[in-house]
Amino acid sequence: MTYIELSAWFVGAAVVAAVVLSVVSGRYRAHLGAMAATIAVLFILTAVFDTVMIATGLFHYSADHLLGVHIGLAPLEDFAYPLAGAVLLPTLWAALRARRRARVGIRATDEEPS
């Protein structure tokens, strides 16, 4: 299995879970703009820090299993994990908040207790 196949399965599972969590959370969904900003920041951080870690020899990849596309020294496949996290975690947070609101009985117009 190549790194891109592994990444595709990982991102696919995260997207499916995010869709399910969005349905569960109802109207308290994660904001797409916030997700997009998070993805942009995480991609920049991944490019910088993966390049540094690869350059210092902390880890390396088998060239046989890579696509060959790099951003800095970071292979394109490395960007799947921050993408999956930036998609999955906000939807999980929104679903948990919706569940808490339903459990506590907070209406949409009420302020959340501290």
Side-chain angles (χ1 to χ4, degrees), residues 2-37:
T2 62
Y3 292 122
I4 195 68
E5 290 170 331
L6 178 64
S7 298
W9 280 105
F10 189 77
V11 170
V15 168
V16 168
V19 168
V20 169
L21 288 170
S22 290
V23 170
V24 168
S25 64
R27 52 184 285 175
Y28 298 104
R29 292 192 175 123
H31 298 281
L32 294 178
M35 273 193 220

Side-chain angles (χ1 to χ4, degrees), residues 90-111:
T91 56
L92 176 61
W93 181 265
L96 291 173
R97 286 182 59 128
R99 181 177 171 210
R100 179 174 181 257
R101 287 176 185 214
R103 189 182 75 223
V104 176
I106 299 172
R107 294 183 318 219
T109 57
D110 290 343
E111 193 173 314

Side-chain angles (χ1 to χ4, degrees), residues 21-60:
L21 288 170
S22 290
V23 170
V24 168
S25 64
R27 52 184 285 175
Y28 298 104
R29 292 192 175 123
H31 298 281
L32 294 178
M35 273 193 220
T38 301
I39 289 169
V41 169
L42 287 176
F43 276 17
I44 291 168
L45 291 172
T46 299
V48 170
F49 288 106
D50 277 14
T51 297
V52 170
M53 289 187 290
I54 292 168
T56 59
L58 288 176
F59 58 90
H60 68 281

